[in-house]
Short mmCIF file of all heavy atoms in Angstrom, two decimals:
data_model
loop_
_atom_site.label_atom_id
_atom_site.label_comp_id
_atom_site.label_asym_id
_atom_site.label_seq_id
_atom_site.Cartn_x
_atom_site.Cartn_y
_atom_site.Cartn_z
N LEU A 80 9.39 21.20 1.06
CA LEU A 80 8.88 22.56 1.03
C LEU A 80 9.71 23.38 2.02
O LEU A 80 9.61 23.19 3.23
CB LEU A 80 7.40 22.63 1.40
CG LEU A 80 6.78 24.02 1.28
CD1 LEU A 80 6.71 24.45 -0.20
CD2 LEU A 80 5.39 24.06 1.89
N GLN A 81 10.56 24.24 1.48
CA GLN A 81 11.34 25.16 2.31
C GLN A 81 10.51 26.40 2.52
O GLN A 81 10.14 27.07 1.55
CB GLN A 81 12.66 25.50 1.63
CG GLN A 81 13.51 26.50 2.41
CD GLN A 81 14.01 25.93 3.72
OE1 GLN A 81 14.45 24.79 3.79
NE2 GLN A 81 13.94 26.74 4.78
N MET A 82 10.23 26.72 3.77
CA MET A 82 9.38 27.85 4.11
C MET A 82 10.20 28.88 4.89
O MET A 82 10.68 28.58 5.98
CB MET A 82 8.18 27.39 4.93
CG MET A 82 7.37 26.29 4.27
SD MET A 82 5.87 25.87 5.17
CE MET A 82 6.58 25.16 6.65
N ASN A 83 10.37 30.05 4.31
CA ASN A 83 11.11 31.13 4.96
C ASN A 83 10.19 32.30 5.23
O ASN A 83 9.10 32.39 4.66
CB ASN A 83 12.26 31.57 4.06
CG ASN A 83 13.27 30.47 3.80
OD1 ASN A 83 13.51 29.61 4.64
ND2 ASN A 83 13.86 30.49 2.60
N SER A 84 10.64 33.21 6.08
CA SER A 84 9.87 34.41 6.41
C SER A 84 8.44 34.06 6.76
O SER A 84 7.48 34.68 6.26
CB SER A 84 9.90 35.39 5.23
OG SER A 84 11.23 35.74 4.89
N LEU A 85 8.29 33.09 7.63
CA LEU A 85 6.95 32.61 7.98
C LEU A 85 6.14 33.67 8.70
O LEU A 85 6.69 34.48 9.48
CB LEU A 85 7.06 31.34 8.82
CG LEU A 85 7.39 30.08 8.02
CD1 LEU A 85 7.92 28.98 8.92
CD2 LEU A 85 6.16 29.60 7.26
N LYS A 86 4.84 33.65 8.43
CA LYS A 86 3.90 34.60 9.01
C LYS A 86 2.83 33.84 9.81
O LYS A 86 2.57 32.67 9.53
CB LYS A 86 3.22 35.39 7.90
CG LYS A 86 4.17 36.11 6.97
CD LYS A 86 3.39 36.77 5.83
CE LYS A 86 4.32 37.48 4.86
NZ LYS A 86 3.56 38.13 3.75
N PRO A 87 2.20 34.49 10.75
CA PRO A 87 1.13 33.82 11.51
C PRO A 87 0.05 33.23 10.60
O PRO A 87 -0.52 32.18 10.91
CB PRO A 87 0.58 34.94 12.40
CG PRO A 87 1.75 35.83 12.62
CD PRO A 87 2.50 35.82 11.31
N GLU A 88 -0.22 33.89 9.49
CA GLU A 88 -1.25 33.39 8.58
C GLU A 88 -0.83 32.14 7.82
O GLU A 88 -1.63 31.55 7.09
CB GLU A 88 -1.68 34.48 7.58
CG GLU A 88 -0.55 35.16 6.86
CD GLU A 88 -0.15 36.47 7.54
OE1 GLU A 88 -0.05 36.50 8.78
OE2 GLU A 88 0.09 37.45 6.80
N ASP A 89 0.42 31.73 7.97
CA ASP A 89 0.86 30.46 7.38
C ASP A 89 0.51 29.27 8.28
O ASP A 89 0.70 28.11 7.89
CB ASP A 89 2.37 30.47 7.16
CG ASP A 89 2.80 31.48 6.10
OD1 ASP A 89 2.11 31.58 5.06
OD2 ASP A 89 3.83 32.15 6.33
N THR A 90 0.00 29.55 9.46
CA THR A 90 -0.38 28.49 10.38
C THR A 90 -1.47 27.62 9.78
O THR A 90 -2.51 28.12 9.36
CB THR A 90 -0.87 29.09 11.72
OG1 THR A 90 0.21 29.78 12.35
CG2 THR A 90 -1.38 28.00 12.65
N ALA A 91 -1.21 26.33 9.72
CA ALA A 91 -2.15 25.38 9.11
C ALA A 91 -1.58 23.97 9.22
O ALA A 91 -0.43 23.78 9.61
CB ALA A 91 -2.36 25.72 7.63
N VAL A 92 -2.41 23.01 8.87
CA VAL A 92 -1.93 21.65 8.65
C VAL A 92 -1.52 21.55 7.18
O VAL A 92 -2.32 21.89 6.30
CB VAL A 92 -2.99 20.60 8.99
CG1 VAL A 92 -2.46 19.20 8.69
CG2 VAL A 92 -3.41 20.71 10.45
N TYR A 93 -0.32 21.12 6.95
CA TYR A 93 0.22 21.02 5.60
C TYR A 93 0.19 19.56 5.13
O TYR A 93 0.64 18.67 5.85
CB TYR A 93 1.65 21.56 5.55
CG TYR A 93 1.70 23.07 5.59
CD1 TYR A 93 1.38 23.77 6.74
CD2 TYR A 93 2.06 23.79 4.46
CE1 TYR A 93 1.39 25.15 6.78
CE2 TYR A 93 2.09 25.18 4.47
CZ TYR A 93 1.76 25.85 5.64
OH TYR A 93 1.78 27.23 5.66
N TYR A 94 -0.34 19.37 3.92
CA TYR A 94 -0.48 18.04 3.35
C TYR A 94 0.29 17.96 2.03
O TYR A 94 0.29 18.91 1.25
CB TYR A 94 -1.94 17.74 3.05
CG TYR A 94 -2.86 17.76 4.23
CD1 TYR A 94 -3.48 18.94 4.63
CD2 TYR A 94 -3.14 16.60 4.93
CE1 TYR A 94 -4.35 18.96 5.71
CE2 TYR A 94 -4.01 16.61 6.01
CZ TYR A 94 -4.61 17.79 6.39
OH TYR A 94 -5.47 17.80 7.46
N CYS A 95 0.89 16.83 1.79
CA CYS A 95 1.46 16.60 0.47
C CYS A 95 0.52 15.71 -0.33
O CYS A 95 -0.25 14.93 0.23
CB CYS A 95 2.85 15.99 0.53
SG CYS A 95 2.93 14.31 1.17
N LYS A 96 0.58 15.88 -1.63
CA LYS A 96 -0.26 15.13 -2.56
C LYS A 96 0.60 14.72 -3.73
O LYS A 96 1.42 15.51 -4.21
CB LYS A 96 -1.43 15.99 -3.02
CG LYS A 96 -2.39 15.31 -3.97
CD LYS A 96 -3.48 16.29 -4.41
CE LYS A 96 -4.46 15.64 -5.37
NZ LYS A 96 -5.49 16.61 -5.85
N ALA A 97 0.43 13.49 -4.20
CA ALA A 97 1.27 13.03 -5.30
C ALA A 97 0.50 12.09 -6.21
O ALA A 97 -0.32 11.29 -5.74
CB ALA A 97 2.51 12.32 -4.76
N SER A 98 0.79 12.20 -7.49
CA SER A 98 0.27 11.27 -8.48
C SER A 98 1.30 10.17 -8.63
O SER A 98 2.42 10.41 -9.09
CB SER A 98 0.06 11.99 -9.81
OG SER A 98 -0.29 11.06 -10.81
N ILE A 99 0.92 8.96 -8.23
CA ILE A 99 1.88 7.87 -8.13
C ILE A 99 1.43 6.69 -8.97
O ILE A 99 0.26 6.28 -8.93
CB ILE A 99 2.05 7.43 -6.66
CG1 ILE A 99 2.67 8.57 -5.86
CG2 ILE A 99 2.92 6.18 -6.56
CD1 ILE A 99 2.77 8.30 -4.38
N ARG A 100 2.37 6.15 -9.71
CA ARG A 100 2.13 4.89 -10.41
C ARG A 100 2.67 3.77 -9.53
O ARG A 100 3.88 3.74 -9.23
CB ARG A 100 2.81 4.89 -11.77
CG ARG A 100 2.52 3.63 -12.59
CD ARG A 100 3.22 3.66 -13.93
NE ARG A 100 2.95 2.46 -14.71
CZ ARG A 100 3.58 2.16 -15.84
NH1 ARG A 100 4.50 2.97 -16.32
NH2 ARG A 100 3.27 1.05 -16.48
N THR A 101 1.81 2.90 -9.13
CA THR A 101 2.22 1.85 -8.21
C THR A 101 2.84 0.69 -8.98
O THR A 101 2.84 0.67 -10.21
CB THR A 101 1.03 1.34 -7.39
OG1 THR A 101 0.13 0.67 -8.29
CG2 THR A 101 0.30 2.50 -6.72
N ILE A 102 3.33 -0.29 -8.25
CA ILE A 102 3.96 -1.45 -8.88
C ILE A 102 2.96 -2.31 -9.62
O ILE A 102 3.33 -3.17 -10.43
CB ILE A 102 4.72 -2.28 -7.84
CG1 ILE A 102 3.79 -2.75 -6.73
CG2 ILE A 102 5.90 -1.49 -7.29
CD1 ILE A 102 4.46 -3.69 -5.76
N THR A 103 1.66 -2.07 -9.38
CA THR A 103 0.63 -2.80 -10.11
C THR A 103 0.37 -2.18 -11.47
O THR A 103 -0.32 -2.78 -12.30
CB THR A 103 -0.69 -2.82 -9.32
OG1 THR A 103 -1.18 -1.48 -9.24
CG2 THR A 103 -0.49 -3.39 -7.94
N GLY A 104 0.91 -0.97 -11.69
CA GLY A 104 0.72 -0.30 -12.96
C GLY A 104 -0.35 0.78 -12.93
O GLY A 104 -0.46 1.57 -13.87
N ALA A 105 -1.14 0.83 -11.87
CA ALA A 105 -2.20 1.82 -11.76
C ALA A 105 -1.64 3.15 -11.28
O ALA A 105 -0.69 3.18 -10.50
CB ALA A 105 -3.27 1.33 -10.79
#
Side-chain angles (χ1 to χ4, degrees):
L80 184 68
Q81 178 66 44
M82 305 185 293
N83 298 328
S84 302
L85 283 161
K86 304 175 181 180
E88 51 264 44
D89 294 318
T90 296
V92 177
Y93 284 71
Y94 299 88
C95 67
K96 181 183 180 182
S98 173
I99 295 175
R100 184 180 180 189
T101 67
I102 58 174
T103 66

